[in-house]
Amino acid sequence: MQSGPTISLTFIVSFGALKGFFPILQQGFFVRIMTGSSLEQVLTEQMGIEEGYIEKRISTIFLNGRPVDNLHGTLAHDGSILSLSAAMPGLVGATMRRKGTYASFRSAIAYREENDVGTRRKNEGLIEVKLFNLLMAELGPHFFKRGIYVRADELSDLISPIMADLRQGRGLILFGDRPVSADAVKEILKDMGPDLIQVFVIGQKDVVP
Amino acid sequence: MDKILRIDMGAEGGPKITESPVGAYAGLGGRALTSSVVASEVDPLCHPLSAANKLVIAPGLLSGSIAAMSGRISVGCKSPLTGGIKEANSGGQPAQVLARLNYAAIVLEGKPKEDTLYKVFINKDGAKIAEDKSLNMLSNYQVVEKMKGEYGNKIACISIGQAGEMRLSAASIAFTDMELRPSRHAGRGGVGAVMGSKGVKVIVIDDSGCSTRQPKDPEKFKAANIKFIEGLRSHPVTGQALPAYGTNVLTNIVNEAGAYPTYNFKQGRFQGAAKISGETYAELETKRGGLATHGCHSGCVIRCSGIFNDKDGHFLSKQPEYETVWAHGGNCGIDDPDKIALLDFLDDDIGLDTIEMGVTIGVAMDGGLIQFGDVDGAINLIKEVGKGTPLGRIIGSGAAVTGKVLGVEKVPVVKGQALPAYDPRAVQGIGVTYATSPMGADHTAGYAIATNILKVGGYVDPLKPEGQVELSRNLQIATAAVDSTGMCIFIAFAIMDQPETFQALLDMLNAFYGLELTAEGVAELGKKVLKTERDFNMHAGFSQIHDRLPGFFKTESLSPHNVTFQVKDEELDTAFNW
């Protein structure tokens, strides 16, 4: 990630248009966290997701592509990839569930923490987060409101299908705190290339009384 | 459902239709019925395309009633693809219609003396068969259109496309959906080739004038059905994930796990997965005026199917299943959702198993016939099958044959049948099922059925690697049991997590037939079915050496986790010790 001041884009759009940003969620975005924390701490304390929701809804979790069974005993590191999914169909869907009945089927790839959870030093870092299926609609707005980081060149591709709507004035775009046009956004993202940009997406009902 | 319709296609003077009571097969449905008939009446050593083979089509035990999810239909025979016993099943309307006509099964036997085609029409007055040469080399969609012209819109059809007529080993049998499209298929094992060998192009069924099947105890049945539906609707998989995204919701997570076979099983991850995920398809379907949530038969409450339109809003195919999207997509390096939907349509139209075709094209790509990612080349290969060119006939004969013809070493098949969409190096337990199932490599042979609720086998610690063979065995038994009820397999998730939903299923069966079936009784049925199938295969020449994955799974590691298949042969040999 680049050093220096954070560059941000804020999209204020209708609730219906929010879905147009969901491809970012399944492709992956970045979030700042205190690394060396357990996944349990990252999800609850740092990302603000309720414990009950995690237990009931986020039944499938991968860290670096490995299914995780123990959130308390697994650490997030700088550069980790954390993927979250609701319960999935199929034998393999059931197999990937946390502590699921058929978890032994994928024991060859299960995540095993090699560090001591209690003694790990904490530093600020970035992890990549992916949200799949039902969690896109349920957690996506939460992350969009808090702000996420996305590679500028990837963002340009991911939001291109909704830019036509934004060009026609359906929504407002802020670059920092300054309104900008959809065409200007395209240029900004092009100039930034692979650098990360902070992105907020806010539903109009959240800003219009 | 107290009678069996038999058509002797080789009778003197032309095909002869008889109806007989179910007799020794009473109380059986779906896979239990098809496998019992095949095991009892077919010589295991016969040629699958000979007069000695039989094609059995059987609805489930509760088909034709108001029971939710009861529209599954099984097809059984000796498989031309594997050489062993085969049960392939499908959704669609025919299960409900056939059951309301009171047929427990249709059995096609013998073989016509001349190379011609027949159509069968069944309604409340009985069955008729007629020669119809005009059906020659019509595709599934064409033949159904023709039947609509002849018999009207209130019918259901069971048909084969050109692949079945050519008796190709990857040929499927199509079953029409609620829109009378031949979009649901008994895909695996070349069952369409057996129907083709019998000379039957289409079976048209019309249940006009027939009523819904009535249970022995209507009140108990109704109450159990309501409870069963509540269980399905309240579960996050059957009530939310499957309706919202269909089975293709698996693409993202299987890919994330590094278990998504890519470029003919060379890698466990596909760069373009998000472009063809269930989430992406659902978004496209909604945007283009299709449907992301749709049932494939009446009485379906999960509605995991959908309708996929092209960019101009015209029907292109039904929502492609996960296995199809994987086989034609990631496995071949293709990430274009529209082209994958077109491949799905072509498979349905020509009458081909989408898994077998995707894997075959992956093998062909590995053999240099076309390049990985060449989507137009893939489409042309499927079209070659429909035309019946020499190359098309090779492709339509499946991955094992194509691999031999092209001199490819890495051919992912077990007992001649292509592996489905989960790499057994990453998910080793499913590799045990692929290797040992009597059906050949089949992801649904050991499904996520509640072994604990069915009380099959002992406890296996989910967090330890040991016990995968035992768990696979238990799952295969439990799956054979549920397949034998003829219920849609997707009920598995709700009955796995919610014992009360499984009890509701048992209560429905008991109330319908006046039985006192228990979980243990269901499990015993599963064991009996598996034993029957294993015995048939043994007499057909199968032994332990056929219960193996191809060698490369043991020697070539799979990225990104760099794993190989570790389950030893001696362990695989214990899979059916019970």
Side-chain angles (χ1 to χ4, degrees):
Chain A
M1 186 190 174
Q2 78 279 23
S3 56
T6 302
I7 298 171
S8 72
L9 276 174
T10 303
F11 297 86
I12 301 170
V13 296
S14 68
F15 180 74
L18 210 61
K19 279 182 87 175
F21 292 85
F22 285 2
I24 299 172
L25 304 174
Q26 61 168 327
Q27 191 75 40
F29 56 90
F30 296 89
V31 173
R32 279 186 197 280
I33 62 152
M34 292 304 290
T35 62
S37 308
S38 72
L39 286 189
E40 191 177 44
Q41 288 171 323
V42 169
L43 290 167
T44 55
E45 295 167 17
Q46 301 183 35
M47 292 181 175
I49 304 172
E50 285 179 17
E51 209 172 309
Y53 180 88
I54 296 166
E55 206 47 47
K56 198 175 165 194
R57 198 63 162 168
I58 311 179
S59 61
T60 311
I61 297 180
F62 298 96
L63 191 65
N64 300 332
R66 294 183 181 275
V68 173
D69 291 299
N70 179 3
L71 294 182
H72 182 70
T74 302
L75 297 174
H77 304 277
D78 189 33
S80 291
I81 302 171
L82 177 66
S83 310
L84 310 175
S85 164
M88 287 292 97
L91 174 63
V92 172
T95 295
M96 294 299 165
R97 281 192 207 176
R98 268 188 295 139
K99 299 177 186 171
T101 314
Y102 310 122
S104 69
F105 269 21
R106 44 76 172 169
S107 55
I109 59 167
Y111 193 89
R112 288 180 183 84
E113 184 57 63
E114 287 166 3
N115 297 293
D116 184 344
V117 176
T119 59
R120 193 77 186 161
R121 205 172 142 210
K122 296 183 179 176
N123 292 304
E124 189 172 270
L126 274 177
I127 60 167
E128 186 175 355
V129 177
K130 295 180 186 178
L131 298 180
F132 297 139
N133 46 73
L134 300 170
L135 303 191
M136 286 163 57
E138 292 174 1
L139 289 180
H142 171 79
F143 278 98
F144 283 144
K145 206 184 278 186
R146 292 167 62 95
I148 59 174
Y149 293 89
V150 186
R151 269 178 55 145
D153 51 357
E154 286 181 2
L155 180 66
S156 185
D157 291 341
L158 289 165
I159 63 174
S160 65
I162 52 172
M163 287 309 263
D165 276 356
L166 292 168
R167 270 192 202 94
Q168 287 170 12
R170 296 193 194 109
L172 178 67
I173 312 172
L174 302 176
F175 180 53
D177 55 5
R178 182 169 52 89
V180 288
S181 68
D183 290 329
V185 168
K186 201 176 168 189
E187 287 306 310
I188 292 165
L189 296 176
K190 192 177 164 191
D191 290 345
M192 288 183 68
D195 285 348
L196 294 184
I197 185 164
Q198 192 173 23
V199 177
F200 296 88
V201 186
I202 300 169
Q204 278 164 346
K205 69 178 173 59
D206 290 333
V207 288
V208 179
Chain B
M1 295 195 303
D2 56 11
K3 56 186 179 180
I4 292 178
L5 177 76
R6 289 177 186 266
I7 308 178
D8 179 358
M9 299 302 299
E12 283 302 322
K16 186 183 168 195
I17 294 173
T18 55
E19 283 185 7
S20 56
V22 284
Y25 303 117
L28 301 178
R31 177 173 167 184
L33 181 49
T34 62
S35 288
S36 295
V37 172
V38 173
S40 306
E41 301 183 16
V42 175
D43 176 1
L45 293 173
C46 77
H47 192 288
L49 302 177
S50 71
N53 199 5
K54 297 191 181 189
L55 186 79
V56 189
I57 302 170
L61 287 172
L62 296 177
S63 299
S65 75
I66 61 159
M69 313 309 301
S70 61
R72 206 80 189 163
I73 195 161
S74 288
V75 178
C77 59
K78 178 173 176 174
S79 164
L81 186 76
T82 68
I85 198 164
K86 174 56 63 181
E87 187 264 354
N89 56 55
S90 173
Q93 284 294 85
Q96 307 286 28
V97 178
L98 199 58
R100 279 196 283 268
L101 285 162
N102 209 21
Y103 290 106
I106 299 172
V107 182
L108 302 180
E109 42 197 38
K111 192 174 181 177
K113 292 188 172 45
E114 290 175 15
D115 192 13
T116 188
L117 282 176
Y118 291 89
K119 65 185 172 197
V120 177
F121 178 71
I122 309 170
N123 69 1
K124 63 181 172 46
D125 300 322
K128 291 174 189 163
I129 184 164
E131 192 177 357
D132 189 344
K133 288 178 179 168
S134 73
L135 303 177
N136 184 38
M137 290 301 268
L138 292 188
S139 70
N140 277 314
Y141 276 82
Q142 288 169 335
V143 77
V144 168
E145 264 321 294
K146 202 164 189 307
M147 293 303 105
K148 276 159 72 175
E150 290 182 30
Y151 299 102
N153 289 328
K154 292 181 178 173
I155 55 170
C157 294
I158 303 169
S159 62
I160 53 170
Q162 300 96 316
E165 273 191 63
M166 290 184 277
R167 299 178 290 280
L168 302 179
S169 296
S172 63
I173 295 177
F175 296 82
T176 48
D177 57 23
M178 289 197 287
E179 288 74 35
L180 244 177
R181 290 174 175 141
S183 69
R184 325 312 304 187
H185 288 246
R188 310 241 62 195
V191 291
V194 178
M195 188 158 157
S197 75
K198 304 298 178 199
V200 176
K201 177 74 178 178
V202 60
I203 300 170
V204 181
I205 39 182
D206 179 351
D207 63 355
S208 300
C210 298
S211 51
T212 305
R213 291 176 66 215
Q214 293 303 312
K216 286 205 167 165
D217 188 333
E219 287 310 311
K220 275 189 184 164
F221 180 76
K222 192 178 164 193
N225 193 31
I226 289 170
K227 206 167 176 187
F228 185 61
I229 291 169
E230 283 170 358
L232 294 172
R233 288 195 170 140
S234 65
H235 192 275
V237 172
T238 49
Q240 290 177 295
L242 279 170
Y245 304 110
T247 54
N248 193 28
V249 70
L250 281 168
T251 291
N252 271 328
I253 73 150
V254 177
N255 190 59
E256 196 61 20
Y260 192 76
T262 303
Y263 303 120
N264 190 29
F265 287 77
K266 284 198 184 68
Q267 303 172 18
R269 279 226 183 106
F270 180 46
Q271 188 72 29
K275 291 183 186 168
I276 56 173
S277 68
E279 291 88 326
T280 302
Y281 267 96
E283 179 67 20
L284 284 173
E285 282 158 3
T286 307
K287 198 168 140 191
R288 295 174 178 181
L291 278 174
T293 305
H294 189 51
C296 77
H297 65 81
S298 52
C300 170
V301 297
I302 296 178
R303 298 179 300 148
C304 70
S305 189
I307 292 175
F308 187 84
N309 288 345
D310 65 16
K311 285 171 182 156
D312 301 320
H314 301 123
F315 175 80
L316 181 53
S317 194
K318 94 277 193 184
Q319 180 185 76
E321 302 285 346
Y322 166 66
E323 301 290 338
T324 306
V325 174
W326 159 76
H328 282 306
N331 188 53
C332 294
I334 291 168
D335 62 6
D336 181 332
D338 287 291
K339 295 287 177 73
I340 292 169
L342 175 59
L343 284 158
D344 180 56
F345 173 81
L346 290 170
D347 286 339
D348 284 354
D349 201 27
I350 296 163
L352 292 161
D353 174 16
T354 58
I355 297 176
E356 195 67 42
M357 279 303 91
V359 172
T360 302
I361 291 172
V363 168
M365 287 171 162
D366 224 357
L369 192 63
I370 56 174
Q371 297 300 304
F372 281 106
D374 179 359
V375 63
D376 293 326
I379 290 167
N380 284 336
L381 285 180
I382 298 291
K383 286 182 175 172
E384 294 272 327
V385 182
K387 289 177 199 159
T389 63
L391 176 61
R393 285 171 185 260
I394 291 167
I395 298 290
S397 297
V401 167
T402 301
K404 273 187 187 169
V405 171
L406 297 178
V408 178
E409 182 190 348
K410 189 183 284 184
V411 181
V413 299
V414 174
K415 301 183 179 78
Q417 181 167 286
L419 261 67
Y422 315 91
D423 199 293
R425 289 165 287 194
V427 189
Q428 311 230 334
I430 206 166
V432 177
T433 303
Y434 287 168
T436 60
S437 164
M439 299 295 154
D442 184 348
H443 63 294
T444 64
Y447 215 58
I449 310 292
T451 52
N452 52 334
I453 295 172
L454 280 168
K455 300 180 178 63
V456 182
Y459 174 74
V460 177
D461 187 339
L463 302 183
K464 289 187 175 163
E466 296 84 19
Q468 305 207 30
V469 171
E470 185 183 356
L471 193 50
S472 169
R473 174 197 309 138
N474 299 343
L475 288 169
Q476 290 191 58
I477 292 168
T479 304
V482 172
D483 280 349
S484 298
T485 67
M487 302 298 280
C488 173
I489 197 126
F490 295 151
I491 66 170
F493 316 107
I495 67 175
M496 177 170 69
D497 295 326
Q498 301 166 177
E500 69 278 11
T501 308
F502 179 68
Q503 189 55 49
L505 172 63
L506 282 184
D507 291 345
M508 274 201 293
L509 286 162
N510 288 335
F512 199 91
Y513 286 98
L515 301 170
E516 290 184 10
L517 202 58
T518 60
E520 290 88 340
V522 174
E524 276 310 308
L525 174 64
K527 277 187 190 174
K528 194 177 162 193
V529 171
L530 267 183
K531 188 175 181 312
T532 300
E533 293 169 348
R534 295 271 300 176
D535 285 350
F536 182 94
N537 278 3
M538 194 181 74
H539 288 102
F542 284 81
S543 67
Q544 289 173 331
I545 61 161
H546 298 99
D547 289 344
R548 301 285 184 266
L549 294 181
F552 74 87
F553 287 108
K554 287 182 180 174
T555 56
E556 293 183 20
S557 63
L558 181 75
S559 64
H561 301 308
N562 299 320
V563 279
T564 54
F565 187 65
Q566 295 290 321
V567 183
K568 294 184 173 65
D569 290 351
E570 309 85 75
E571 293 178 73
L572 293 176
D573 293 342
T574 66
F576 289 90
N577 292 351
W578 63 59

